Amino acid sequence: MSNDRDGAKAVDYSPADVLVIGAGASGAVAAWNLAETKMRIVCLEQGGWSDPSQYPSTGRDWETRTQSDFSISPNRRAQPADYPVNDDDSPIKVANFNGVGGGTVLYAGHYPRFHPSDFRVKSLDGVGDDWPVDYDTLEPFYAQNDRVTGVSGLAGDPAYPPKQSVLPPLPMGLSGQRLAEGFNKLGWHWWPSDSAIATQPYNGRDKCINLGACLYGCAQGAKASTDITYWPEAIRAGVELRAWCRVKEITVDDAGMATGAVYFDEQGVEQFQPAHVVIMACNGVGTPRILLNSKSKQFPDGLANSSGLVGKNLMLHPYASIQGIFADELDGYRGPHDSIWSQEFYETNKERGFVRGYTYEFNRGRGPVATALTGVHSGRIPWGEGHHTAYRRLFNRIAGMVSICEDLPEEHNTVTLDPELTDAHGIPAPKLSYRISDNSQKMLDYSVARASEALEAAGAYDLIVDSPITHGGWHLLGTARMGQDPSRSVVNEWGRSHDVRNLFVVDGSIFVTSAGVNPTRTIQTLALYITDQMKKRLTTLFD
Amino acid sequence: MTETPTAIPDSPERPGGTIATDHIFSVDEQTVLRELAGLVVTASAEYDLPGADDELIFNDILASARDVEDGVRAALLRVADCAVELAQATSELEGQPEMAPFVSLVLQCYYRDDRVMRSLDMEPRPPFPLGYAVPEGDWSMLAAVQARGKIWREV
């Protein structure tokens, strides 16, 4: 069954040297980076491989499928790979994808780095905590990940320390140029977005042809989802990836060391895969869910949870969407979502009434169905007489931005186990309890006000505002945070559990703070850094 | 992958290819839904466009309605409560939350119809494999941004 999409090979249940749980953004990187050690590496993934020939953009119903089998909501999608999430107690609902590639299958590929200041939040602004690593330490790993991913962009962004781009930037297009004109009028920063989208053929991937459906799987293969970047190389190097294997719990021995994982295979049969090292890579909801489900005599409150912080400090990045309606035609349905960004309001300025800041991620436009839904449900397009004329005032004439607001860690924002809800295998499902903080709310409001000014400067005559974006919980962070103090963190400064010396976490749950950017590039960079640390410490890994 | 139907087959169950008696919705319900679809998106002589009650489009709606049956039934219940005949009920129904799932379904099917897409100067095809052209834009506009110098915060 290993690595075989037809499930033909026999399963080897002998002990793995390294067992990776989750084949998404970080699990792929961890497996890839450890492969050169020639250790036996096995990865268990609860979903399957995606078939790009079946992605929505290959069909006429592509926009409809974004509301069903390719919805960003696991609860709405409800595919066999998915598990339910109780997010009733959160104004922001979870968005994810379960399968090989994980969230990178459905992400936009908007791919900023953290800034140096993001790792020193406590020192600079007196909030949150400082990270136990810094930008300079991670910079070589950012660069390594950029090369594997094939990041497009333009060097020289004044919002960042110097960094190189691997590929030329995505086109600005009519929408990007119009919005840039508005920002230039106000003297505000903007720059071509760093994107995980190939603008030229790169490492076997074809270049972007502007399908406009990045959020629903890239049929062209231009977007760097890990099923087509890291995984093929890792598998060629000998890593075994077992799809359709949902982990129930991580087991431990009497000494409190991890011994492997109990999981349900594709036939629903409970199996056990022993391992000498376990790496969690299920992100900010999946990882605490498994750790909290892994209760034992040694760890009655869940694995690696002596601090009580597993599942706490959930950060979601509250988003606002601010879209303008313009009189003349822009990109509309044509082109990737990414074009340019602005970090004018990224670094702290306390005169704004909040600390920390946010990124504007610009949006080109939307498809014909999305335009109709937006127009009709917002009352801008009437039923009956007048429908067609009103529709044409919106079609290909909507462009704007979303603000990605830094969320600070708060212990009352949690992932716990739902007392009743379970997945198809009977494993307790996660439950979110989350509130938008005053600081985040002020930041959201500020971002809406400034974006409105920018869109007006760009020539928009009407605005469509959605704040917070309800179904915008793309970034699931902070629920197994890293740090040097075992009483204040779950893993140490190189990703190893304080409590279980052969258990590592490499996903977004280890984030100490969230920054005001999309996190995937930093998640993957940390996975490279942590696994590099593991390689350097192989002989003393458990000391 | 779903293609827009180009022809509706005749059959004893679908005389003229318009009403399916084996559908999850009864013939009477289909009649109501078709009239309702035509209220949401009306045919236009000005743009030479069919309404959403057009035979091809409505059959697409009906076929797709199976996936959102509960929402469609909510719309039917709301219509049944109307104080006036359906043809005069636009002001009573428009914007009502119970109508949203069915209205969304109507729009999803209407705006993937070949005739409608052509009227919007779109080619009636999926995005892949041909993609679209997007102009590069004027990168010289970045000169103003560069002129300000660095804005990132030293630590």
Side-chain angles (χ1 to χ4, degrees), chain A residues 102-218:
Chain A
T104 62
V105 173
L106 295 194
Y107 75 161
H110 201 252
Y111 212 59
R113 292 184 181 190
F114 271 30
H115 300 67
S117 62
D118 293 322
F119 298 94
R120 292 289 174 269
V121 173
K122 180 75 169 178
S123 299
L124 293 171
D125 295 320
V127 293
D129 287 292
D130 289 346
W131 287 58
V133 292
D134 59 21
Y135 184 90
D136 289 341
T137 301
L138 294 180
E139 205 286 332
F141 301 96
Y142 270 123
Q144 183 182 19
N145 179 59
D146 289 358
R147 288 191 292 275
V148 178
T149 300
V151 177
S152 63
L154 185 67
D157 187 345
Y160 277 97
K163 57 183 170 61
Q164 296 301 310
S165 288
V166 178
L167 296 168
L170 292 163
M172 262 201 289
L174 298 172
S175 298
Q177 181 158 326
R178 175 57 60 87
L179 297 169
E181 288 168 1
F183 274 68
N184 271 0
K185 280 184 186 174
L186 296 170
W188 290 353
H189 169 268
W190 63 274
W191 201 259
S193 292
D194 287 355
S195 292
I197 296 174
T199 51
Q200 295 176 348
Y202 188 78
N203 274 3
R205 288 157 49 207
D206 213 339
K207 70 174 184 177
C208 175
I209 54 171
N210 304 309
L211 299 177
C214 313
L215 291 170
Y216 314 105
C218 179

Side-chain angles (χ1 to χ4, degrees), chain A residues 348-490:
Chain A
T348 293
N349 179 344
K350 290 184 179 175
E351 292 180 3
R352 297 176 190 144
F354 55 87
V355 293
R356 309 302 300 157
Y358 61 91
T359 297
Y360 285 129
E361 173 185 339
F362 290 66
N363 309 136
R364 277 177 206 280
R366 53 192 70 193
V369 170
T371 301
L373 294 172
T374 299
V376 169
H377 293 313
S378 70
R380 289 175 173 82
I381 300 175
W383 291 16
E385 292 293 326
H387 176 95
H388 300 287
T389 297
Y391 179 86
R392 279 155 176 75
R393 289 197 198 103
L394 299 187
F395 181 62
N396 288 345
R397 286 162 173 78
I398 299 173
M401 63 205 80
V402 293
S403 55
I404 309 163
C405 296
E406 175 160 356
D407 212 11
L408 290 165
E410 297 177 298
E411 286 194 20
H412 60 80
N413 290 329
T414 60
V415 175
T416 55
L417 299 178
D418 191 281
E420 297 175 0
L421 188 66
T422 61
D423 64 22
H425 295 96
I427 304 171
K431 177 180 188 298
L432 269 62
S433 295
Y434 175 85
R435 298 287 178 273
I436 297 174
S437 70
D438 287 345
N439 193 69
S440 293
Q441 186 60 55
K442 287 175 181 172
M443 199 184 309
L444 278 169
D445 295 344
Y446 186 90
S447 75
V448 170
R450 299 292 81 73
S452 302
E453 293 170 12
L455 288 167
E456 184 180 345
Y461 68 84
D462 192 9
L463 298 175
I464 303 170
V465 175
D466 183 15
S467 176
I469 300 177
T470 302
H471 289 280
W474 288 281
H475 306 154
L476 313 167
L477 308 167
T479 48
R481 63 198 329 238
M482 65 190 321
Q484 292 172 320
D485 180 352
S487 71
R488 297 290 309 143
S489 55
V490 177

Side-chain angles (χ1 to χ4, degrees), chain A residues 1-4 9-16 19-20 22-23 40-49 100 231 235 239-246 261 263-266 271-274:
Chain A
M1 192 159 69
S2 58
N3 302 335
D4 191 304
K9 295 181 183 173
V11 179
D12 178 359
Y13 291 112
S14 64
L19 181 62
V20 181
R40 180 170 179 245
I41 301 168
V42 175
C43 177
L44 301 176
E45 164 55 48
Q46 66 188 326
W49 288 88
V100 179
W231 271 119
I235 289 169
V239 175
E240 178 189 340
L241 171 52
R242 270 178 227 163
W244 299 110
C245 296
R246 174 167 285 141
Y263 69 94
F264 291 96
D265 67 15
E266 188 169 5
Q271 308 284 3
F272 176 64
Q273 175 60 56

